[in-house]
Amino acid sequence: MIERAEVLLSVQSASKIYKMGEIDVPALRDASIDIRDGEFLIIVGPSGSGKSTLLNLIGGMDRPSDGSLSFLGEDLAHYSDRKLTLYRKEQIGFVFQFYNLIPTLTALENVQVAIEIAQDPMDPMEAIRLVGLEDRADHFPAQLSGGEQQRVSIARAIASNPRLLLCDEPTGALDIETSKQVLGLLKRLNRELKKTVVLITHNSAIAGIGDRIAYIRDGRFASIDENTEPTPVEEVEW
Amino acid sequence: MVSRTLLRKTRRDLMSRKGSLLALLAIVTIGVGSYLGMSAVHRDLDGARHRYYTEYRLADFQVDLKRAPEFEIERVKNLPNVSEVRGRVSMAVLLDLPDLAEPISGTAISMPETRTPVLNDLHLSSGSWFTGRERREVILNDSFAKANGIQPGDRIKALLFDKQHDLLVVGTAISPEFVYLIPPSGGLAPDPARFGVLYLPEEFLQESCDQEGAFNQLIGTTHDRSDKAIDSTLDDIESRLDLYGVANTARINETASVKFLADDLEGLRVSARVIPALFLGVAALIMNVLIGRMITQQRSTIGTLKAIGYGNLAITIHYLGYGVFIGALGGILGIAFGTWIHSAMLGLYRTFYTVPDIRPHVFPDLWFLGMAITLVFAMFGTVRGIRYAARLEPAEAMHPPPPERGNRILLERIPIFWNPISFRWKMILRAVFRNPFRSAVTILACVISTGLILMTLSNVDALDYVMDYQFAKISHEDLTVGLRDPVGMEASQELKLLGGVSEVERQLSVSCDLRNGPYEKRMGILGLVSNNRLITPLDSENNPIPIPEKGLVLSERVAEILHVKVGDTLNVRALIGSREEVTAPVVALVKTYLSLAAYARIDYLNRLIGEDSSANVLLVKLHPGKRSGTLYKELKQRPSVIAIGERARAFSQIDATFGKNMGVMIAITVFFSGIIAFGSILNTALVSLSEREREVGTLRVLGYTPYQVLQIFSGESFLLNSIGIVFGFGAGVGLVHLIATQYSTELFRFPAVIHFFRVIETGSIMVLIIGFAQILVFLLIKKLRWLEALQVKE
């Protein structure tokens, strides 16, 4: 295996155990992966496999019960709430399955939410333009289609200029044609803006578009495959 | 009909919102508690008063005259409507207490030698009735004896008419005619240490006061006790006794003590309705917000319940249960709280009024009523939510709610305003305008709270203002010396030569009947010298009004009672001297806040009573720094002196009586009013927090700190409450003016005083309350499990 790029984020033997009343529920057991700067990584797994837990750890929303987690050499596993908040703000852009737009704000204003607290943000309109929604900028989420809402959410994610885009089932609520548009957009941002993208999905049909594909099952990585020739987004079918 | 499982759901639903529930319960508890407490106090006090008045046979009327022979009593008794009469002697006295330099004013009242039930009977507090062993025995009013440490067996010196007597104290007592004993020299507050009532054996008092076989005061009861009937009876009596020099006639309910207590009870009755209504009304509105939100969140549950066969009635009953639960809990807490208010307030009233047997009783019917009222209010609190629940179609309800509408609010149509503001404020403004009901409730609660606080604080200023006005702006004397009969110039000359005196001003006070057509008022006219310096009546702009050579100057309230204005003419008849009716023009009006006032030039008044330059009141100004013991000593020896009033003393007495109670009342009112605002703010914040958990989650994921999230929430709170505070100031000013116009008795009137710093103070209190609520909201935001809120529930 050739090291093509520096490691952006490294997960080593991470495990996460949730306490549900009196029972311990292990969501992640001894999982290890290095996320490389600039790659398009796809993590595939069925529901309950631990992929959301992993995303929470990578995204600085939670800490591992055991194991290590480092971002550019910085130990995330022992960050305080304050530092995690700062980490999320500066390094991470999130794209959710259900977009999580603020219903009382327009598309443009939803992007401004991220920009307002960012250190080195984009122009909000620029972000809107990048996702091709300049005509819908002053529409409220309820006036936008699902695909458009997801594009607003992507615009919001990139607007603060993060290094890492975390996408949790970004096409989970979309039809296939719209999904392709969203995936195409993510690929383009990965290519053109050099954003590292980690995309989590249960839909293995999508897996082919990534530079690497990691399969997760029962809280562990079953395999991590290099994909030297990613499938063009247009050819994805399910 | 009521499902037990659903009852369990009700309990859990409510318990999961402890914060809101507590905030709401606090308001409900205060509402019910104040209703129960004040109503019970009203009943107990009113009951104690009635028992006292009945048992000790308080008269219905009182007639003061110069001197009438005892056989006239029988004649008066035979007048129509008169049921019982008693003639007695009532005389001003001066007391000389060994430990005090200054002479003490008092009233001596005759009582039967041996104890027989009479009108205005006494309730012995200690010692016994006259024993007959000594002629000069006295029963003192209890508070005076206590205040001066006098006990049965002690002796006191009293100057009766023209002779000093050594009196043996045999007992102390209280009387139904003096439940609130204000010295006749005026003021508003009792002064138990410096004003005493002496009950003396009838014959002894008659002999000492040149009233052998006679009486100078008639008290009596009537069959028909309506004001009108008593007034007409008094007219009959007056014409019957006219030749004995009737100086005053009054219904007992016009006399200071009886009236003060009655006014107080009336105020309590009104408060017991208004204050609880405000609290419970706000609580019901807040509950609508809370329950409304809860029911919206349970949309799919309602859909499911409907789908499995629960009808609208069952659902309505289920959600009414929330109201019943909150109402019942609030009612129980309210009963407990009300019981506490009841006993605490009664304790305060016991120190205020000399009425025996003011004891808290349990009123189960009040509890029942309070509980019922609370339940009704609480059920009103669920109306909005239930209407929403009843309208839901099951199929539609089981789907997630449609996304929030993205319509623009009106403000967005004004781009100059809208465009430059930050997205935070856009969020805040949209949240405010998209929940008009909730926003309105928040504002209203804040308006009420602010208004009540400003009003309460302004009441302090109103009292201060009155005190300053009456005791500094109008009056400038140090002592007021009352004389038994009008005397000539030489008395003031003589007084001026006594130690420490710098200035003496003569006054003539004459009881008169003022009449304008059907409007009549019996009151004292005060004659002032032409260069009056020690008393300076002021007009409504605080300008001193010179007393004209001819005619009268009336206080605004007197003009109101008599329906006259400047330029009108009054019929005036003095009750002493020639007693002829003359006409007098009303030349100017002045403003007073304590009692009533009518002024004239002293010469003018002298002509009216057929005298020549006489005076019966001497105002004394002492040299600065002089507290002359020798002056007091001299005054004590002059039998013509019947009363000595000290301006500073009257001032401090009012201050002590009302200032003390006011401090407590203010603290309580401000606290309770603050609860309204606090409860409402906290509730609104909790509701919008629960509504927007996901937004909070999203913001937190984006890297917002809890504090930055708080800014969005508190922005809404501060915006709405700022509006509330501003309107609350208006409401407070309105309330102050309402009180000034509504609370106006002959004894006391409230000026509308609003100081700017009170507005600032009120605003600051409100900001503190809002700020404190934000701290709680901040802790909640910090504690919020936002990651879970983000987990997709669909």
Side-chain angles (χ1 to χ4, degrees), chain B residues 124 164 340 351 361 411 436 451 458 499 522 565 572 643 681 719 748:
Chain B
L124 279 176
Q164 198 169 57
W340 178 78
T351 65
H361 293 84
L411 281 176
S458 295
R522 175 163 290 175
K565 51 188 189 308
V572 181
I681 293 165
L719 175 69
F748 189 76

Side-chain angles (χ1 to χ4, degrees), chain B residues 377-578:
Chain B
F377 267 101
M379 285 198 245
F380 266 115
T382 60
V383 163
R384 265 172 70 92
I386 288 174
R387 274 177 45 196
Y388 173 84
R391 275 206 218 109
L392 277 179
E393 290 294 327
E396 176 208 334
M398 279 194 294
H399 287 123
E404 211 176 319
R405 279 178 308 127
N407 293 341
R408 282 166 206 292
I409 61 169
L410 210 62
L411 281 176
E412 294 182 47
R413 309 239 167 94
I414 315 165
I416 303 170
F417 168 78
W418 189 257
N419 289 342
I421 65 177
S422 74
F423 84 89
R424 268 173 233 254
W425 278 102
K426 287 179 181 164
M427 259 176 104
I428 291 165
L429 287 171
R430 289 194 186 118
V432 164
F433 283 96
R434 283 183 190 167
N435 294 297
F437 179 76
R438 188 190 307 167
S439 303
V441 170
T442 308
I443 292 176
L444 182 73
C446 182
V447 168
I448 291 176
S449 185
T450 311
L452 286 178
I453 292 176
L454 181 58
M455 178 198 80
T456 310
L457 294 177
S458 295
N459 281 350
V460 184
D461 300 329
L463 185 64
D464 283 348
Y465 182 88
V466 170
M467 299 283 283
D468 178 66
Y469 189 85
Q470 296 290 146
F471 291 96
K473 290 209 170 72
I474 295 186
S475 313
H476 313 282
E477 84 286 353
D478 289 318
L479 298 178
T480 308
V481 179
L483 305 175
R484 190 178 304 282
D485 296 300
V487 294
M489 290 287 241
E490 61 289 347
S492 66
Q493 304 290 359
E494 192 186 330
L495 189 55
K496 207 163 178 181
L497 295 174
L498 296 179
V501 176
S502 99
E503 221 173 312
V504 178
E505 191 167 300
R506 300 177 317 120
Q507 283 185 343
L508 180 62
S509 169
V510 179
S511 267
C512 293
D513 280 333
L514 304 180
R515 194 166 59 80
N516 170 37
Y519 306 107
E520 238 184 307
K521 182 72 203 165
R522 175 163 290 175
M523 59 178 295
I525 297 180
L526 202 56
L528 306 185
V529 293
S530 59
N531 55 342
N532 57 311
R533 287 157 46 85
L534 296 187
I535 177 165
T536 50
L538 303 173
D539 70 5
S540 50
E541 264 95 54
N542 281 358
N543 300 312
I545 291 296
I547 306 300
E549 252 173 81
K550 286 199 176 80
L552 301 175
V553 173
L554 303 180
S555 68
E556 284 171 359
R557 176 72 182 170
V558 175
E560 223 175 274
I561 293 171
L562 293 171
H563 292 80
V564 288
K565 51 188 189 308
V566 172
D568 290 353
T569 311
L570 279 176
N571 292 313
V572 181
R573 190 174 73 104
L575 296 174
I576 55 171
S578 52

Side-chain angles (χ1 to χ4, degrees), chain A residues 171-191:
Chain A
T171 59
L174 303 175
D175 62 53
I176 183 156
E177 281 313 310
T178 319
S179 295
K180 284 183 185 175
Q181 284 176 22
V182 167
L183 292 174
L185 175 61
L186 288 172
K187 279 297 269 188
R188 188 156 61 84
L189 295 171
N190 171 246
R191 212 169 45 236

Side-chain angles (χ1 to χ4, degrees), chain B residues 715-737:
Chain B
E716 185 178 333
S717 198
F718 274 106
L719 175 69
L720 290 176
N721 286 294
S722 302
I723 298 170
I725 290 173
V726 171
F727 281 104
F729 289 153
V733 172
L735 280 173
V736 165
H737 280 91

Side-chain angles (χ1 to χ4, degrees), chain B residues 623-637:
Chain B
H623 283 299
K626 284 270 161 85
R627 278 273 127 236
S628 180
T630 50
L631 175 64
Y632 285 132
K633 208 181 264 174
E634 295 280 352
L635 288 175
K636 278 183 194 172
Q637 286 162 8

